[in-house]
Amino acid sequence: MDYITLNNGVKMPQLGYGVYQTPVEDTERCVLDAIKIGYRSFDTAQAYGNEAGVGVAIAKSGLPREEFFITTKIWITNAGYEKAKASIEQSLKALQTDYIDLLLIHQPFGDYYGSYRAMEEAYEAGKVRAIGVSNFYPDRFLDIEHFAKIKPAVNQIETHVFQQQKVAKEYLQKYNTQIMSWGPLAEGRNDFFNNETLKEIGAKYGKSVAQVGLKFLLQNGVVIIPKSTHVERMEENFNLYDFELSAEDMKRIEELDTGNSVFFSHYDPATVEWFMSIL
Ligand SMILES: NC(=O)c1ccc[n+]([C@@H]2O[C@H](COP(=O)([O-])OP(=O)(O)OC[C@H]3O[C@@H](n4cnc5c(N)ncnc54)[C@H](OP(=O)(O)O)[C@@H]3O)[C@@H](O)[C@H]2O)c1
């Protein structure tokens, strides 16, 4: 397992496990399976409704808390100083922990400056080891980066072979904020798992399409948190350290970049309206 050092010196595993869309009733089992395989970094969110399942699994694992790296995110309905502050306490309780390793603003909507102040306060109180944002496109990222007292350690954004985030990466690097991918397998969209280039490259190394796509991100310095409810896929997504993609293969995969989302764009007013409609 490789570690990334964040802008405040905190070390974070470069490979973790995400639980978006993992049913509440399956989360404990999935996280326990992932722990058995060797995952120590877990990404959840208030909006996923499964923080408690992550907390129970970590407690049941019997391993020391310091071995884990837990990320959670403040949802839009908890935006604003007071609500965010209360929600941090709720997340700590649900996760059965005294501290969160990485706390992110989930979406750049609502009074997220108020949320960020509550996060800075929690950071200074030792309840959170690192703070950051998610889904902040370069414009919003630069804004919060400029005005925040504690600079965002991480920006978690959609990143995979079809959306390599070249522009965002440039700005994140410039301001020493770590890029963290959500949807590292593109959630299978754009026929990811049948991609001919990834298949051909995988055949050379005896690796699957998923493994090639994930390794490409690792070799590009991206933090990844692939999700699967299936044990064999969790293992597949974890076994990434016994091969290295050549410079030539990296170049071929770079060419798969479309520069666009396979989901939605936060620059699109219809996307913003959709987010408002689900609140
Ligand atoms: N900040 C945000 O707004 C945001 C948004 C989305 C996601 N996230 C985070 O990022 C994590 C990962 O993203 P994601 O869950 O959206 O998508 P993902 O990891 O790109 O893809 C997950 C999908 O791929 C399937 N899969 C996983 N490994 C596979 C393999 N080796 N072979 C074939 N199929 C495989 C899974 O199915 P099965 O589960 O059935 O195996 C699931 O349908 C999330 O869990 C969450 O923690 C954050």
Side-chain angles (χ1 to χ4, degrees), residues 234-267:
M234 292 180 203
E235 276 169 357
E236 182 182 333
N237 300 343
F238 193 74
N239 291 327
L240 303 176
Y241 291 96
D242 56 354
F243 74 115
E244 193 78 12
L245 295 168
S246 69
E248 185 197 330
D249 290 331
M250 289 292 285
K251 189 98 203 83
R252 279 188 74 196
I253 302 172
E254 247 183 64
E255 284 162 15
L256 298 179
D257 188 24
T258 66
N260 289 313
S261 170
V262 296
F263 296 86
F264 42 63
S265 165
H266 280 57
Y267 289 137

CSV table of all heavy atoms in Angstrom, one decimal, residues 234-267:
chain,number,residue,atom,x,y,z
A,234,MET,N,-13.6,-6.8,-4.9
A,234,MET,CA,-12.9,-6.0,-3.9
A,234,MET,C,-11.4,-6.5,-4.0
A,234,MET,O,-10.5,-5.7,-3.9
A,234,MET,CB,-13.4,-6.3,-2.5
A,234,MET,CG,-14.7,-5.8,-2.1
A,234,MET,SD,-15.1,-6.2,-0.4
A,234,MET,CE,-16.8,-6.2,-0.4
A,235,GLU,N,-11.2,-7.8,-4.1
A,235,GLU,CA,-9.8,-8.3,-4.1
A,235,GLU,C,-9.1,-7.9,-5.4
A,235,GLU,O,-8.0,-7.4,-5.4
A,235,GLU,CB,-9.8,-9.9,-4.1
A,235,GLU,CG,-9.9,-10.4,-2.7
A,235,GLU,CD,-10.2,-11.9,-2.6
A,235,GLU,OE1,-10.4,-12.5,-3.7
A,235,GLU,OE2,-10.2,-12.4,-1.5
A,236,GLU,N,-9.9,-8.0,-6.5
A,236,GLU,CA,-9.3,-7.6,-7.8
A,236,GLU,C,-8.9,-6.1,-7.8
A,236,GLU,O,-7.8,-5.7,-8.2
A,236,GLU,CB,-10.4,-7.8,-8.8
A,236,GLU,CG,-10.1,-7.4,-10.3
A,236,GLU,CD,-11.3,-7.6,-11.2
A,236,GLU,OE1,-12.2,-8.4,-10.9
A,236,GLU,OE2,-11.3,-6.9,-12.2
A,237,ASN,N,-9.7,-5.3,-7.2
A,237,ASN,CA,-9.5,-3.8,-7.1
A,237,ASN,C,-8.3,-3.5,-6.1
A,237,ASN,O,-7.8,-2.4,-6.2
A,237,ASN,CB,-10.7,-3.0,-6.8
A,237,ASN,CG,-11.8,-3.2,-7.8
A,237,ASN,OD1,-11.6,-3.7,-8.9
A,237,ASN,ND2,-13.1,-2.9,-7.4
A,238,PHE,N,-8.0,-4.4,-5.3
A,238,PHE,CA,-7.0,-4.2,-4.3
A,238,PHE,C,-5.6,-4.7,-4.8
A,238,PHE,O,-4.6,-4.2,-4.3
A,238,PHE,CB,-7.3,-4.9,-3.0
A,238,PHE,CG,-6.5,-4.5,-1.8
A,238,PHE,CD1,-6.7,-3.3,-1.2
A,238,PHE,CD2,-5.5,-5.4,-1.3
A,238,PHE,CE1,-6.0,-2.9,-0.1
A,238,PHE,CE2,-4.8,-5.0,-0.2
A,238,PHE,CZ,-5.0,-3.8,0.4
A,239,ASN,N,-5.6,-5.6,-5.7
A,239,ASN,CA,-4.4,-6.2,-6.2
A,239,ASN,C,-3.8,-5.5,-7.3
A,239,ASN,O,-3.8,-5.9,-8.5
A,239,ASN,CB,-4.6,-7.7,-6.5
A,239,ASN,CG,-4.9,-8.5,-5.3
A,239,ASN,OD1,-4.4,-8.3,-4.2
A,239,ASN,ND2,-5.8,-9.5,-5.4
A,240,LEU,N,-3.2,-4.3,-7.0
A,240,LEU,CA,-2.7,-3.4,-8.0
A,240,LEU,C,-1.2,-3.1,-7.8
A,240,LEU,O,-0.7,-2.3,-8.5
A,240,LEU,CB,-3.4,-2.1,-7.8
A,240,LEU,CG,-5.0,-2.1,-7.9
A,240,LEU,CD1,-5.5,-0.7,-7.6
A,240,LEU,CD2,-5.4,-2.6,-9.3
A,241,TYR,N,-0.6,-3.8,-6.9
A,241,TYR,CA,0.8,-3.5,-6.6
A,241,TYR,C,1.9,-4.4,-7.1
A,241,TYR,O,3.0,-4.3,-6.8
A,241,TYR,CB,1.0,-3.2,-5.1
A,241,TYR,CG,0.2,-2.0,-4.7
A,241,TYR,CD1,-1.0,-2.0,-4.2
A,241,TYR,CD2,0.8,-0.7,-4.9
A,241,TYR,CE1,-1.7,-0.9,-3.8
A,241,TYR,CE2,0.1,0.5,-4.5
A,241,TYR,CZ,-1.1,0.4,-4.0
A,241,TYR,OH,-1.8,1.5,-3.7
A,242,ASP,N,1.4,-5.4,-8.0
A,242,ASP,CA,2.4,-6.4,-8.5
A,242,ASP,C,2.7,-6.2,-10.0
A,242,ASP,O,3.1,-7.0,-10.7
A,242,ASP,CB,1.9,-7.8,-8.2
A,242,ASP,CG,0.6,-8.1,-8.8
A,242,ASP,OD1,-0.1,-7.1,-9.3
A,242,ASP,OD2,0.1,-9.2,-8.7
A,243,PHE,N,2.3,-5.0,-10.5
A,243,PHE,CA,2.6,-4.7,-11.9
A,243,PHE,C,2.8,-3.2,-12.0
A,243,PHE,O,2.3,-2.4,-11.2
A,243,PHE,CB,1.6,-5.2,-12.9
A,243,PHE,CG,0.3,-4.5,-12.9
A,243,PHE,CD1,-0.1,-3.9,-14.1
A,243,PHE,CD2,-0.6,-4.5,-11.8
A,243,PHE,CE1,-1.4,-3.2,-14.1
A,243,PHE,CE2,-1.8,-3.8,-11.9
A,243,PHE,CZ,-2.2,-3.2,-13.0
A,244,GLU,N,3.4,-2.8,-13.1
A,244,GLU,CA,3.6,-1.3,-13.4
A,244,GLU,C,3.3,-1.1,-14.9
A,244,GLU,O,3.8,-1.8,-15.7
A,244,GLU,CB,5.1,-1.0,-13.1
A,244,GLU,CG,5.5,0.4,-13.0
A,244,GLU,CD,5.1,1.1,-11.7
A,244,GLU,OE1,4.7,0.4,-10.8
A,244,GLU,OE2,5.1,2.3,-11.7
A,245,LEU,N,2.4,-0.1,-15.2
A,245,LEU,CA,2.1,0.1,-16.6
A,245,LEU,C,3.3,0.9,-17.2
A,245,LEU,O,3.9,1.8,-16.6
A,245,LEU,CB,0.9,1.0,-16.7
A,245,LEU,CG,-0.4,0.4,-16.2
A,245,LEU,CD1,-1.5,1.4,-16.1
A,245,LEU,CD2,-0.8,-0.8,-17.2
A,246,SER,N,3.7,0.5,-18.5
A,246,SER,CA,4.8,1.1,-19.1
A,246,SER,C,4.4,2.6,-19.5
A,246,SER,O,3.2,2.9,-19.6
A,246,SER,CB,5.2,0.3,-20.4
A,246,SER,OG,4.2,0.5,-21.3
A,247,ALA,N,5.4,3.4,-19.8
A,247,ALA,CA,5.2,4.8,-20.3
A,247,ALA,C,4.3,4.7,-21.5
A,247,ALA,O,3.4,5.6,-21.7
A,247,ALA,CB,6.5,5.5,-20.5
A,248,GLU,N,4.6,3.8,-22.4
A,248,GLU,CA,3.8,3.7,-23.7
A,248,GLU,C,2.4,3.4,-23.4
A,248,GLU,O,1.5,3.9,-24.0
A,248,GLU,CB,4.5,2.6,-24.5
A,248,GLU,CG,4.0,2.4,-25.9
A,248,GLU,CD,4.4,1.0,-26.5
A,248,GLU,OE1,5.5,0.5,-26.1
A,248,GLU,OE2,3.6,0.5,-27.2
A,249,ASP,N,2.1,2.4,-22.5
A,249,ASP,CA,0.7,2.1,-22.1
A,249,ASP,C,0.0,3.2,-21.4
A,249,ASP,O,-1.2,3.5,-21.7
A,249,ASP,CB,0.7,0.8,-21.3
A,249,ASP,CG,1.1,-0.4,-22.1
A,249,ASP,OD1,0.8,-0.4,-23.3
A,249,ASP,OD2,1.7,-1.4,-21.6
A,250,MET,N,0.7,3.9,-20.6
A,250,MET,CA,0.2,5.1,-19.9
A,250,MET,C,-0.3,6.1,-21.0
A,250,MET,O,-1.4,6.7,-20.9
A,250,MET,CB,1.2,5.8,-19.0
A,250,MET,CG,1.5,5.0,-17.7
A,250,MET,SD,0.1,4.9,-16.6
A,250,MET,CE,0.1,6.5,-15.8
A,251,LYS,N,0.5,6.3,-22.0
A,251,LYS,CA,0.2,7.2,-23.1
A,251,LYS,C,-1.0,6.8,-23.8
A,251,LYS,O,-1.9,7.6,-24.1
A,251,LYS,CB,1.4,7.3,-24.0
A,251,LYS,CG,1.5,8.3,-25.1
A,251,LYS,CD,2.3,9.5,-24.6
A,251,LYS,CE,1.9,10.8,-25.3
A,251,LYS,NZ,0.8,11.5,-24.8
A,252,ARG,N,-1.1,5.5,-24.1
A,252,ARG,CA,-2.3,5.0,-24.8
A,252,ARG,C,-3.6,5.3,-24.0
A,252,ARG,O,-4.6,5.6,-24.5
A,252,ARG,CB,-2.2,3.5,-25.1
A,252,ARG,CG,-1.4,3.2,-26.3
A,252,ARG,CD,-1.4,1.7,-26.5
A,252,ARG,NE,-2.7,1.3,-27.1
A,252,ARG,CZ,-3.1,0.0,-27.2
A,252,ARG,NH1,-2.4,-1.0,-26.7
A,252,ARG,NH2,-4.3,-0.3,-27.8
A,253,ILE,N,-3.5,5.1,-22.7
A,253,ILE,CA,-4.7,5.3,-21.8
A,253,ILE,C,-5.0,6.8,-21.7
A,253,ILE,O,-6.2,7.2,-21.7
A,253,ILE,CB,-4.5,4.7,-20.4
A,253,ILE,CG1,-4.2,3.2,-20.6
A,253,ILE,CG2,-5.7,4.9,-19.5
A,253,ILE,CD1,-3.8,2.5,-19.3
A,254,GLU,N,-4.0,7.6,-21.7
A,254,GLU,CA,-4.2,9.0,-21.7
A,254,GLU,C,-5.1,9.5,-22.9
A,254,GLU,O,-5.8,10.4,-22.8
A,254,GLU,CB,-2.8,9.8,-21.8
A,254,GLU,CG,-2.5,10.5,-20.5
A,254,GLU,CD,-1.2,11.3,-20.7
A,254,GLU,OE1,-1.2,12.2,-21.5
A,254,GLU,OE2,-0.3,10.9,-20.0
A,255,GLU,N,-4.9,8.8,-24.0
A,255,GLU,CA,-5.7,9.1,-25.2
A,255,GLU,C,-7.2,8.8,-25.0
A,255,GLU,O,-8.0,9.3,-25.8
A,255,GLU,CB,-5.1,8.4,-26.4
A,255,GLU,CG,-3.8,9.1,-26.8
A,255,GLU,CD,-3.0,8.3,-27.8
A,255,GLU,OE1,-3.5,7.3,-28.3
A,255,GLU,OE2,-1.8,8.7,-27.9
A,256,LEU,N,-7.6,8.1,-24.0
A,256,LEU,CA,-9.0,7.8,-23.8
A,256,LEU,C,-9.8,9.0,-23.2
A,256,LEU,O,-11.0,9.0,-23.1
A,256,LEU,CB,-9.2,6.5,-22.9
A,256,LEU,CG,-8.6,5.2,-23.3
A,256,LEU,CD1,-8.8,4.1,-22.3
A,256,LEU,CD2,-9.3,4.8,-24.7
A,257,ASP,N,-9.0,9.9,-22.7
A,257,ASP,CA,-9.6,11.1,-22.0
A,257,ASP,C,-10.5,11.9,-23.0
A,257,ASP,O,-10.1,12.2,-24.1
A,257,ASP,CB,-8.5,12.0,-21.5
A,257,ASP,CG,-9.0,13.1,-20.6
A,257,ASP,OD1,-10.1,13.0,-20.1
A,257,ASP,OD2,-8.3,14.2,-20.5
A,258,THR,N,-11.7,12.1,-22.5
A,258,THR,CA,-12.6,13.0,-23.3
A,258,THR,C,-12.7,14.4,-22.7
A,258,THR,O,-13.2,15.3,-23.4
A,258,THR,CB,-14.1,12.4,-23.3
A,258,THR,OG1,-14.6,12.5,-22.0
A,258,THR,CG2,-14.1,11.0,-23.8
A,259,GLY,N,-12.2,14.5,-21.5
A,259,GLY,CA,-12.2,15.8,-20.9
A,259,GLY,C,-13.6,16.2,-20.3
A,259,GLY,O,-13.8,17.2,-19.8
A,260,ASN,N,-14.5,15.2,-20.5
A,260,ASN,CA,-15.9,15.5,-20.0
A,260,ASN,C,-16.4,14.4,-19.0
A,260,ASN,O,-15.9,13.3,-19.0
A,260,ASN,CB,-16.9,15.4,-21.2
A,260,ASN,CG,-16.7,16.6,-22.1
A,260,ASN,OD1,-16.6,17.7,-21.7
A,260,ASN,ND2,-16.5,16.3,-23.4
A,261,SER,N,-17.4,14.8,-18.3
A,261,SER,CA,-18.0,13.9,-17.3
A,261,SER,C,-18.8,12.8,-18.0
A,261,SER,O,-19.4,13.1,-19.1
A,261,SER,CB,-18.9,14.7,-16.4
A,261,SER,OG,-19.7,13.9,-15.6
A,262,VAL,N,-18.9,11.6,-17.4
A,262,VAL,CA,-19.8,10.6,-18.0
A,262,VAL,C,-21.1,10.6,-17.1
A,262,VAL,O,-22.0,9.8,-17.3
A,262,VAL,CB,-19.2,9.2,-18.0
A,262,VAL,CG1,-18.0,9.1,-19.0
A,262,VAL,CG2,-18.8,8.7,-16.6
A,263,PHE,N,-21.1,11.6,-16.2
A,263,PHE,CA,-22.3,11.7,-15.3
A,263,PHE,C,-23.1,13.0,-15.6
A,263,PHE,O,-24.1,13.0,-16.2
A,263,PHE,CB,-21.9,11.6,-13.8
A,263,PHE,CG,-21.3,10.3,-13.5
A,263,PHE,CD1,-20.0,10.1,-13.6
A,263,PHE,CD2,-22.1,9.3,-12.9
A,263,PHE,CE1,-19.4,8.8,-13.3
A,263,PHE,CE2,-21.6,8.1,-12.6
A,263,PHE,CZ,-20.2,7.8,-12.8
A,264,PHE,N,-22.5,14.1,-15.1
A,264,PHE,CA,-23.1,15.4,-15.3
A,264,PHE,C,-22.1,16.5,-15.0
A,264,PHE,O,-21.0,16.2,-14.5
A,264,PHE,CB,-24.3,15.6,-14.3
A,264,PHE,CG,-24.0,15.1,-12.9
A,264,PHE,CD1,-23.0,15.6,-12.1
A,264,PHE,CD2,-24.7,14.0,-12.4
A,264,PHE,CE1,-22.7,15.2,-10.9
A,264,PHE,CE2,-24.4,13.5,-11.1
A,264,PHE,CZ,-23.4,14.1,-10.4
A,265,SER,N,-22.4,17.7,-15.4
A,265,SER,CA,-21.4,18.8,-15.2
A,265,SER,C,-22.0,19.8,-14.2
A,265,SER,O,-23.2,20.2,-14.3
A,265,SER,CB,-21.2,19.5,-16.5
A,265,SER,OG,-20.5,20.8,-16.2
A,266,HIS,N,-21.2,20.2,-13.2
A,266,HIS,CA,-21.7,21.2,-12.3
A,266,HIS,C,-21.8,22.6,-12.9
A,266,HIS,O,-22.2,23.5,-12.3
A,266,HIS,CB,-20.8,21.2,-11.0
A,266,HIS,CG,-21.1,20.1,-10.1
A,266,HIS,ND1,-21.0,18.8,-10.4
A,266,HIS,CD2,-21.4,20.1,-8.7
A,266,HIS,CE1,-21.3,18.0,-9.4
A,266,HIS,NE2,-21.5,18.8,-8.3
A,267,TYR,N,-21.2,22.7,-14.1
A,267,TYR,CA,-21.4,23.9,-14.8
A,267,TYR,C,-22.7,24.1,-15.5
A,267,TYR,O,-23.1,25.1,-16.0
A,267,TYR,CB,-20.3,24.1,-15.9
A,267,TYR,CG,-18.9,24.3,-15.4
A,267,TYR,CD1,-17.8,23.6,-15.9
A,267,TYR,CD2,-18.6,25.2,-14.3
A,267,TYR,CE1,-16.5,23.8,-15.4
A,267,TYR,CE2,-17.3,25.3,-13.8
A,267,TYR,CZ,-16.3,24.6,-14.4
A,267,TYR,OH,-15.0,24.8,-13.9
